[in-house]
Structures are given as C-alpha cells and as structure tokens.
Amino acid sequence: MRIGIVGGGLMGSGIAEVSARAGVDVTLIEVDDAAAERARKSIERSLERAVGSGKLQAPERDEALSRLVYSSDLGDIAGADAAIEAIIESESAKQQLFRELDRLLPDAEFLASNTSSVPIMKLAAETTRPERVLGLHFFNPVPVLKLVELVRSLMTSDETLIRARSFAEGQLGKTTIESKDRAGFIVNALLVPYILSAIRMYESGFASKEDIDRGMVLGTAHPMGPLALADLVGLDTLLYVANSLYEEFREPSAVAPALLQRMVEAGLLGRKSGRGFYDYTS
Ligand code: CAA
Ligand code: NAD
C-alpha cells in the first residue's frame, strides 16, 4: 500500500513514521523543500530514539527509512492508494487541499483529514466523491498514543469507513473509536474546554502555572498538566480548535482566552517554537 500524507509537522511526520514502520510506503508532502527536510530530520530523529531505547532494531529502521519519500510537489502523491491530510488547522487551506486531492487521486480508497476540529462535511463538500472522505484523527505523539478517532460525515460510505478502520487498526495497530461529525469530535470536545479553563485560571492569577499543572498530574494522574499539554499540542492549533468549537456550539467554555490569542500573535506557540507557557530553548 502507498499512502500520501500532506503536511509533515508534528502530526504528519508522526503519522508518516508510524505508517512506514508498519510496512506502508509513504509519500510525504510539505510546502517547500526546507519544510520537507525538517520533516525528514524529525522522523529520522524519532526512529533513532526508538533504536536507542531498544523499541526498534537497526534493520527495521532502515526498512522504514526506505519506505519514505519526501517532496514539495503535491503532484507526487498521484497514484497513492489513500491520502491523509495533516496541514495547519485552517478550514480554508484544508478545503483548497481537498479540491486538489480530489483531482489528483480519483481512485483513492479514502481521503482522510487529521483535523482536530473542522467538521468533515466541510471538506468532503469540496470534492466530487464525498463518500470517500472521512476524519482519521490521530493523537500526539503519534508513535506513543494508541487512539485514532474515525469521523464519519453524513456522506461517508460504509466501505470507506471499513477501509479506513482496517488501515488504522489492521495496518497501524491503533485502536479506533467512532465519532459523529461535530467540531472537536469526542476527545477535543472534552479536552479543549478543560485546557482553556486552565489558561483562564492562570490568566486571572488564581494559581501559578506550575501549581495548575502539578495539581492535575499529582491529583488526577494525568501524564502532564493542561498548560504543558497546551505547549505540546501547539498554541496555534489550540486556538484554531477553540474557535471551531465556539463556532459550532457557541458555549462560553470554548471561548479562547485573550492570553492564548496574544501568545499566538507573539509567536509563542509552545514546544514547536521553543516557548509557550514554558521555555524549551535550553
Ligand atoms: N515521539 C516518539 N516517542 C516519544 C515521543 C515522541 N514525540 N515523546 C515521548 N516518546 C516516548 C519516549 O521515547 C518514551 O519511550 P520509552 O518509555 O520506551 O523510553 C515514552 O514515550 C515516554 O517518554 P518520556 O519518558 O520522554 O516522557 P514522559 O513519560 O513524560 O511521556 C508523553 C511523554 C508521551 C508526551 C506523555 O507525557 C503523554 O502521554 N502526555 C499526554 C499527551 C496527550 O495527552 N496527547 C494528546 C494531545 S491532544 C491531541 O493529540 C488531539 C488534538 O487534536 C490536539
Ligand atoms: P504543525 O504546525 O506542526 O504542522 C503543519 C504542517 O503543515 C507544517 O509543517 C506546514 O508547513 C504544513 N503545511 C501547511 N500548509 C500545507 C500545504 N498546503 N501543503 C503541505 N503542507 C502544508 O501542525 P500539527 O500539530 O502537525 O497539526 C496538523 C493537523 O493535525 C492540524 O489539523 C491539527 O489540528 C491536527 N492535530 C494536531 C494535534 C496536535 O497535538 N498538535 C493532534 C491531532 C491532530
């Protein structure tokens, strides 16, 4: 099987790595050669780390590396058996991309989006075969977290759902859950209002960021606190998701706090930019 993955940031590179390790040929598309090179380096680092910790043998690493092709020309995914979109969380950018995927991959088994929150129907409606479009929502870090949400729009066919589930479970070894096509799906509809309330708590001076995070780690056995998790997700992505949730449900819990907006405007995006609620430069 050959899969085209568009977007090689945090998520796209994770999905590409996990797919190549599972024996799938991957063509990974980025915006330009420099971004494609960053994706390559990030995947190579992650594979090295897996070898270092004994999770992967060197020959398996080499085989995974040989399955990965990087490009900045979207046309290079023509002929792939399926595609997964993992570009920035912008509805208009994703809609434009789905129009192009529809043209380039007329025979694809499925055209999937890894969107955190954009309703799948808004992307499917841009194509001539909405029955082949669905959400395949992976979790960060993809090599570690087992879950994939399958999101079926009003138009997704049974066959597409079965093929995508078989890819995520049979091929990649993930566990799937099925969500209706509502902004945020199951997990982010619950998780993002929680992170936003932690930001509001910090913004209002109610508690320090360290104590908020320590409270949730030690008090509820979460692997990391909400502000550290916001930094892991990326504050730009979090802001997009909050806005999508608010647009869909109009609930005050999804309103993005001013602090989150200012941090994104300042380029403080979390781990990926080196600074968010915490500093990652050292
Ligand atoms: N890639 C690959 N492997 C990674 C990794 C990465 N980016 N980060 C950590 N790991 C691996 C490590 O190699 C390590 O493996 P071993 O035990 O075999 O050595 C293991 O994960 C644990 O890592 P660490 O010891 O470095 O650190 P940790 O124990 O603190 O775990 C963590 C780090 C996995 C990120 C953990 O803190 C965690 O699971 N946090 C919660 C993450 C979470 O909630 N993600 C969901 C975000 S929401 C989302 O994804 C949806 C959305 O649409 C926004
Ligand atoms: P990111 O900012 O790390 O990566 C996005 C990448 O897409 C960038 O490298 C960018 O150069 C590339 N890109 C943008 N437009 C493109 C285009 N037209 N063609 C090719 N590449 C393009 O973001 P991310 O965290 O990887 O998020 C990607 C998607 O996954 C988003 O929809 C996000 O909501 C979703 N998601 C994110 C997380 C998370 O925790 N960060 C978890 C699950 C899902």
Side-chain angles (χ1 to χ4, degrees):
M1 178 176 196
R2 183 162 80 88
I3 191 143
I5 297 176
V6 189
L10 278 177
M11 296 304 292
S13 59
I15 299 166
E17 177 192 336
V18 165
S19 301
R21 284 173 67 169
V24 178
D25 290 318
V26 176
T27 302
L28 180 59
I29 308 293
E30 256 294 349
V31 276
D32 55 29
D33 291 345
E37 198 45 37
R38 277 196 299 279
R40 176 203 302 277
K41 289 214 170 93
S42 148
I43 293 174
E44 289 178 357
R45 258 197 319 274
S46 185
L47 287 170
E48 267 332 302
R49 182 156 131 176
V51 171
S53 66
K55 279 191 202 151
L56 193 70
Q57 300 304 311
E60 293 166 336
R61 171 203 57 200
D62 295 342
E63 200 180 324
L65 288 172
S66 73
R67 292 188 184 282
L68 288 153
V69 173
Y70 303 83
S71 171
S72 54
D73 179 357
L74 184 62
D76 285 347
I77 65 166
D81 299 301
I84 301 178
E85 167 279 309
I87 69 169
I88 43 163
E89 188 71 349
S90 150
E91 191 175 305
S92 56
K94 286 181 190 293
Q95 285 176 321
Q96 188 189 333
L97 179 59
F98 269 80
R99 286 195 289 276
E100 293 180 55
L101 291 176
D102 184 40
R103 185 175 55 78
L104 287 165
L105 294 171
D107 301 320
E109 287 179 13
F110 57 82
L111 300 178
S113 174
N114 183 52
T115 176
S116 300
S117 62
V118 176
I120 299 303
M121 199 57 236
K122 292 193 177 183
L123 307 178
E126 298 296 318
T127 72
T128 56
R129 46 187 82 74
E131 68 283 359
R132 300 268 179 98
V133 177
L134 86 167
L136 261 187
H137 185 218
F138 291 77
F139 288 79
N140 177 19
V142 183
V144 180
L145 296 197
K146 287 281 168 224
L147 186 69
V148 174
E149 283 180 307
L150 292 172
V151 188
R152 181 176 196 165
S153 84
L154 289 176
M155 302 296 282
T156 309
S157 68
D158 289 344
E159 191 189 1
T160 299
L161 195 75
I162 289 166
R163 285 179 159 170
R165 181 183 288 122
S166 146
F167 172 73
E169 293 190 348
Q171 193 98 45
L172 304 188
K174 298 287 187 189
T175 298
T176 62
I177 57 175
E178 207 177 311
S179 168
K180 280 237 164 69
D181 190 19
R182 296 287 181 276
F185 318 128
I186 297 171
V187 175
N188 282 334
L190 295 168
L191 177 69
V192 170
Y194 153 70
I195 297 178
L196 297 177
S197 26
I199 297 173
R200 272 189 278 277
M201 185 179 258
Y202 170 55
E203 185 179 32
S204 69
F206 191 115
S208 70
K209 59 190 174 192
E210 292 81 5
D211 280 357
I212 292 169
D213 278 353
R214 214 174 285 136
M216 295 311 290
V217 170
L218 298 181
T220 64
H222 287 200
M224 65 209 313
L227 300 174
L229 183 54
D231 280 354
L232 178 78
V233 166
L235 301 195
D236 50 346
T237 301
L238 186 64
L239 180 59
Y240 276 125
V241 181
N243 290 340
S244 294
L245 283 174
Y246 186 70
E247 196 185 315
E248 180 108 324
F249 301 113
R250 303 280 160 187
E251 286 173 4
S253 61
V255 174
L259 176 63
L260 175 63
Q261 309 212 31
R262 289 302 96 75
M263 288 176 79
V264 172
E265 286 153 9
L268 302 175
L269 304 183
R271 286 195 192 196
K272 66 183 168 188
S273 72
R275 208 176 127 199
F277 290 101
Y278 298 94
D279 193 331
Y280 302 91
T281 47
S282 56

PDB file of all heavy atoms in Angstrom, residues 58-80:
ATOM      1  N   ALA A  58      17.952  -1.911  14.170  1.00  0.00           N
ATOM      2  CA  ALA A  58      18.524  -1.092  13.090  1.00  0.00           C
ATOM      3  C   ALA A  58      18.006  -1.516  11.704  1.00  0.00           C
ATOM      4  O   ALA A  58      17.671  -0.638  10.882  1.00  0.00           O
ATOM      5  CB  ALA A  58      20.049  -1.137  13.158  1.00  0.00           C
ATOM      6  N   PRO A  59      17.890  -2.820  11.391  1.00  0.00           N
ATOM      7  CA  PRO A  59      17.376  -3.178  10.056  1.00  0.00           C
ATOM      8  C   PRO A  59      15.926  -2.710   9.839  1.00  0.00           C
ATOM      9  O   PRO A  59      15.557  -2.322   8.731  1.00  0.00           O
ATOM     10  CB  PRO A  59      17.452  -4.713  10.040  1.00  0.00           C
ATOM     11  CG  PRO A  59      18.430  -5.081  11.109  1.00  0.00           C
ATOM     12  CD  PRO A  59      18.325  -4.008  12.156  1.00  0.00           C
ATOM     13  N   GLU A  60      15.132  -2.717  10.945  1.00  0.00           N
ATOM     14  CA  GLU A  60      13.729  -2.237  10.824  1.00  0.00           C
ATOM     15  C   GLU A  60      13.724  -0.729  10.577  1.00  0.00           C
ATOM     16  O   GLU A  60      12.914  -0.221   9.796  1.00  0.00           O
ATOM     17  CB  GLU A  60      12.957  -2.540  12.112  1.00  0.00           C
ATOM     18  CG  GLU A  60      12.743  -4.020  12.360  1.00  0.00           C
ATOM     19  CD  GLU A  60      12.273  -4.307  13.797  1.00  0.00           C
ATOM     20  OE1 GLU A  60      12.524  -3.492  14.707  1.00  0.00           O
ATOM     21  OE2 GLU A  60      11.672  -5.366  13.984  1.00  0.00           O
ATOM     22  N   ARG A  61      14.632  -0.028  11.234  1.00  0.00           N
ATOM     23  CA  ARG A  61      14.755   1.423  10.994  1.00  0.00           C
ATOM     24  C   ARG A  61      15.088   1.676   9.526  1.00  0.00           C
ATOM     25  O   ARG A  61      14.461   2.494   8.856  1.00  0.00           O
ATOM     26  CB  ARG A  61      15.863   2.014  11.881  1.00  0.00           C
ATOM     27  CG  ARG A  61      16.208   3.465  11.534  1.00  0.00           C
ATOM     28  CD  ARG A  61      17.597   3.842  11.996  1.00  0.00           C
ATOM     29  NE  ARG A  61      18.607   2.949  11.442  1.00  0.00           N
ATOM     30  CZ  ARG A  61      19.831   2.781  11.934  1.00  0.00           C
ATOM     31  NH1 ARG A  61      20.215   3.422  13.007  1.00  0.00           N
ATOM     32  NH2 ARG A  61      20.679   1.940  11.365  1.00  0.00           N
ATOM     33  N   ASP A  62      16.056   0.914   8.997  1.00  0.00           N
ATOM     34  CA  ASP A  62      16.475   1.120   7.610  1.00  0.00           C
ATOM     35  C   ASP A  62      15.334   0.812   6.647  1.00  0.00           C
ATOM     36  O   ASP A  62      15.148   1.494   5.646  1.00  0.00           O
ATOM     37  CB  ASP A  62      17.700   0.244   7.294  1.00  0.00           C
ATOM     38  CG  ASP A  62      18.905   0.688   8.128  1.00  0.00           C
ATOM     39  OD1 ASP A  62      18.873   1.827   8.648  1.00  0.00           O
ATOM     40  OD2 ASP A  62      19.857  -0.111   8.271  1.00  0.00           O
ATOM     41  N   GLU A  63      14.558  -0.217   6.988  1.00  0.00           N
ATOM     42  CA  GLU A  63      13.437  -0.548   6.111  1.00  0.00           C
ATOM     43  C   GLU A  63      12.394   0.576   6.141  1.00  0.00           C
ATOM     44  O   GLU A  63      11.872   0.984   5.103  1.00  0.00           O
ATOM     45  CB  GLU A  63      12.815  -1.872   6.550  1.00  0.00           C
ATOM     46  CG  GLU A  63      12.009  -2.450   5.412  1.00  0.00           C
ATOM     47  CD  GLU A  63      11.352  -3.768   5.767  1.00  0.00           C
ATOM     48  OE1 GLU A  63      11.972  -4.560   6.510  1.00  0.00           O
ATOM     49  OE2 GLU A  63      10.222  -3.976   5.291  1.00  0.00           O
ATOM     50  N   ALA A  64      12.126   1.095   7.362  1.00  0.00           N
ATOM     51  CA  ALA A  64      11.169   2.204   7.471  1.00  0.00           C
ATOM     52  C   ALA A  64      11.674   3.404   6.671  1.00  0.00           C
ATOM     53  O   ALA A  64      10.912   4.030   5.906  1.00  0.00           O
ATOM     54  CB  ALA A  64      10.971   2.579   8.933  1.00  0.00           C
ATOM     55  N   LEU A  65      12.973   3.715   6.792  1.00  0.00           N
ATOM     56  CA  LEU A  65      13.526   4.871   6.064  1.00  0.00           C
ATOM     57  C   LEU A  65      13.370   4.698   4.563  1.00  0.00           C
ATOM     58  O   LEU A  65      13.073   5.653   3.835  1.00  0.00           O
ATOM     59  CB  LEU A  65      15.014   5.045   6.422  1.00  0.00           C
ATOM     60  CG  LEU A  65      15.296   5.577   7.825  1.00  0.00           C
ATOM     61  CD1 LEU A  65      16.792   5.530   8.139  1.00  0.00           C
ATOM     62  CD2 LEU A  65      14.775   7.009   7.979  1.00  0.00           C
ATOM     63  N   SER A  66      13.524   3.442   4.098  1.00  0.00           N
ATOM     64  CA  SER A  66      13.459   3.207   2.650  1.00  0.00           C
ATOM     65  C   SER A  66      12.027   3.350   2.119  1.00  0.00           C
ATOM     66  O   SER A  66      11.805   3.456   0.920  1.00  0.00           O
ATOM     67  CB  SER A  66      14.005   1.813   2.311  1.00  0.00           C
ATOM     68  OG  SER A  66      13.057   0.843   2.720  1.00  0.00           O
ATOM     69  N   ARG A  67      11.046   3.327   3.018  1.00  0.00           N
ATOM     70  CA  ARG A  67       9.643   3.451   2.573  1.00  0.00           C
ATOM     71  C   ARG A  67       9.181   4.904   2.489  1.00  0.00           C
ATOM     72  O   ARG A  67       8.050   5.175   2.108  1.00  0.00           O
ATOM     73  CB  ARG A  67       8.729   2.727   3.566  1.00  0.00           C
ATOM     74  CG  ARG A  67       8.917   1.233   3.555  1.00  0.00           C
ATOM     75  CD  ARG A  67       7.857   0.541   4.402  1.00  0.00           C
ATOM     76  NE  ARG A  67       8.094  -0.875   4.451  1.00  0.00           N
ATOM     77  CZ  ARG A  67       7.798  -1.717   3.467  1.00  0.00           C
ATOM     78  NH1 ARG A  67       7.220  -1.258   2.372  1.00  0.00           N
ATOM     79  NH2 ARG A  67       8.062  -2.992   3.579  1.00  0.00           N
ATOM     80  N   LEU A  68      10.032   5.839   2.908  1.00  0.00           N
ATOM     81  CA  LEU A  68       9.612   7.243   2.997  1.00  0.00           C
ATOM     82  C   LEU A  68      10.174   8.082   1.851  1.00  0.00           C
ATOM     83  O   LEU A  68      11.389   8.088   1.626  1.00  0.00           O
ATOM     84  CB  LEU A  68      10.120   7.827   4.317  1.00  0.00           C
ATOM     85  CG  LEU A  68       9.395   7.337   5.574  1.00  0.00           C
ATOM     86  CD1 LEU A  68      10.302   7.406   6.798  1.00  0.00           C
ATOM     87  CD2 LEU A  68       8.151   8.191   5.808  1.00  0.00           C
ATOM     88  N   VAL A  69       9.268   8.778   1.162  1.00  0.00           N
ATOM     89  CA  VAL A  69       9.700   9.709   0.114  1.00  0.00           C
ATOM     90  C   VAL A  69       9.173  11.087   0.494  1.00  0.00           C
ATOM     91  O   VAL A  69       8.021  11.216   0.927  1.00  0.00           O
ATOM     92  CB  VAL A  69       9.104   9.286  -1.260  1.00  0.00           C
ATOM     93  CG1 VAL A  69       9.396  10.325  -2.322  1.00  0.00           C
ATOM     94  CG2 VAL A  69       9.637   7.921  -1.673  1.00  0.00           C
ATOM     95  N   TYR A  70      10.024  12.114   0.377  1.00  0.00           N
ATOM     96  CA  TYR A  70       9.632  13.478   0.764  1.00  0.00           C
ATOM     97  C   TYR A  70       9.582  14.347  -0.483  1.00  0.00           C
ATOM     98  O   TYR A  70      10.435  14.214  -1.360  1.00  0.00           O
ATOM     99  CB  TYR A  70      10.662  14.072   1.733  1.00  0.00           C
ATOM    100  CG  TYR A  70      10.855  13.230   2.971  1.00  0.00           C
ATOM    101  CD1 TYR A  70      11.720  12.126   2.963  1.00  0.00           C
ATOM    102  CD2 TYR A  70      10.163  13.522   4.136  1.00  0.00           C
ATOM    103  CE1 TYR A  70      11.886  11.345   4.097  1.00  0.00           C
ATOM    104  CE2 TYR A  70      10.325  12.744   5.276  1.00  0.00           C
ATOM    105  CZ  TYR A  70      11.193  11.655   5.247  1.00  0.00           C
ATOM    106  OH  TYR A  70      11.354  10.874   6.361  1.00  0.00           O
ATOM    107  N   SER A  71       8.604  15.252  -0.529  1.00  0.00           N
ATOM    108  CA  SER A  71       8.501  16.103  -1.712  1.00  0.00           C
ATOM    109  C   SER A  71       7.792  17.408  -1.364  1.00  0.00           C
ATOM    110  O   SER A  71       7.040  17.484  -0.392  1.00  0.00           O
ATOM    111  CB  SER A  71       7.706  15.354  -2.793  1.00  0.00           C
ATOM    112  OG  SER A  71       7.411  16.229  -3.857  1.00  0.00           O
ATOM    113  N   SER A  72       8.022  18.425  -2.202  1.00  0.00           N
ATOM    114  CA  SER A  72       7.256  19.660  -2.033  1.00  0.00           C
ATOM    115  C   SER A  72       6.301  19.837  -3.211  1.00  0.00           C
ATOM    116  O   SER A  72       5.716  20.898  -3.384  1.00  0.00           O
ATOM    117  CB  SER A  72       8.212  20.852  -1.922  1.00  0.00           C
ATOM    118  OG  SER A  72       9.073  20.865  -3.027  1.00  0.00           O
ATOM    119  N   ASP A  73       6.150  18.781  -4.016  1.00  0.00           N
ATOM    120  CA  ASP A  73       5.245  18.829  -5.167  1.00  0.00           C
ATOM    121  C   ASP A  73       4.048  17.924  -4.889  1.00  0.00           C
ATOM    122  O   ASP A  73       4.166  16.694  -4.893  1.00  0.00           O
ATOM    123  CB  ASP A  73       6.016  18.347  -6.409  1.00  0.00           C
ATOM    124  CG  ASP A  73       5.129  18.347  -7.648  1.00  0.00           C
ATOM    125  OD1 ASP A  73       3.922  18.666  -7.525  1.00  0.00           O
ATOM    126  OD2 ASP A  73       5.641  18.002  -8.724  1.00  0.00           O
ATOM    127  N   LEU A  74       2.896  18.548  -4.658  1.00  0.00           N
ATOM    128  CA  LEU A  74       1.698  17.765  -4.322  1.00  0.00           C
ATOM    129  C   LEU A  74       1.387  16.714  -5.390  1.00  0.00           C
ATOM    130  O   LEU A  74       0.877  15.633  -5.097  1.00  0.00           O
ATOM    131  CB  LEU A  74       0.500  18.715  -4.124  1.00  0.00           C
ATOM    132  CG  LEU A  74      -0.802  18.073  -3.666  1.00  0.00           C
ATOM    133  CD1 LEU A  74      -0.652  17.406  -2.305  1.00  0.00           C
ATOM    134  CD2 LEU A  74      -1.937  19.095  -3.609  1.00  0.00           C
ATOM    135  N   GLY A  75       1.760  17.023  -6.635  1.00  0.00           N
ATOM    136  CA  GLY A  75       1.515  16.094  -7.746  1.00  0.00           C
ATOM    137  C   GLY A  75       2.153  14.729  -7.507  1.00  0.00           C
ATOM    138  O   GLY A  75       1.707  13.723  -8.073  1.00  0.00           O
ATOM    139  N   ASP A  76       3.174  14.668  -6.644  1.00  0.00           N
ATOM    140  CA  ASP A  76       3.863  13.397  -6.402  1.00  0.00           C
ATOM    141  C   ASP A  76       3.015  12.381  -5.640  1.00  0.00           C
ATOM    142  O   ASP A  76       3.422  11.233  -5.506  1.00  0.00           O
ATOM    143  CB  ASP A  76       5.181  13.628  -5.643  1.00  0.00           C
ATOM    144  CG  ASP A  76       6.244  14.216  -6.563  1.00  0.00           C
ATOM    145  OD1 ASP A  76       6.028  14.200  -7.796  1.00  0.00           O
ATOM    146  OD2 ASP A  76       7.272  14.696  -6.054  1.00  0.00           O
ATOM    147  N   ILE A  77       1.861  12.792  -5.121  1.00  0.00           N
ATOM    148  CA  ILE A  77       1.048  11.758  -4.459  1.00  0.00           C
ATOM    149  C   ILE A  77       0.072  11.090  -5.433  1.00  0.00           C
ATOM    150  O   ILE A  77      -0.649  10.176  -5.041  1.00  0.00           O
ATOM    151  CB  ILE A  77       0.268  12.265  -3.222  1.00  0.00           C
ATOM    152  CG1 ILE A  77      -0.782  13.294  -3.586  1.00  0.00           C
ATOM    153  CG2 ILE A  77       1.180  12.781  -2.156  1.00  0.00           C
ATOM    154  CD1 ILE A  77      -1.721  13.495  -2.411  1.00  0.00           C
ATOM    155  N   ALA A  78       0.070  11.530  -6.686  1.00  0.00           N
ATOM    156  CA  ALA A  78      -0.819  10.899  -7.674  1.00  0.00           C
ATOM    157  C   ALA A  78      -0.540   9.395  -7.672  1.00  0.00           C
ATOM    158  O   ALA A  78       0.606   8.971  -7.596  1.00  0.00           O
ATOM    159  CB  ALA A  78      -0.574  11.492  -9.049  1.00  0.00           C
ATOM    160  N   GLY A  79      -1.591   8.601  -7.720  1.00  0.00           N
ATOM    161  CA  GLY A  79      -1.431   7.142  -7.758  1.00  0.00           C
ATOM    162  C   GLY A  79      -1.386   6.501  -6.383  1.00  0.00           C
ATOM    163  O   GLY A  79      -1.400   5.275  -6.267  1.00  0.00           O
ATOM    164  N   ALA A  80      -1.353   7.296  -5.305  1.00  0.00           N
ATOM    165  CA  ALA A  80      -1.356   6.703  -3.961  1.00  0.00           C
ATOM    166  C   ALA A  80      -2.704   6.015  -3.722  1.00  0.00           C
ATOM    167  O   ALA A  80      -3.724   6.385  -4.312  1.00  0.00           O
ATOM    168  CB  ALA A  80      -1.126   7.784  -2.902  1.00  0.00           C
TER     169      ALA A  80
END
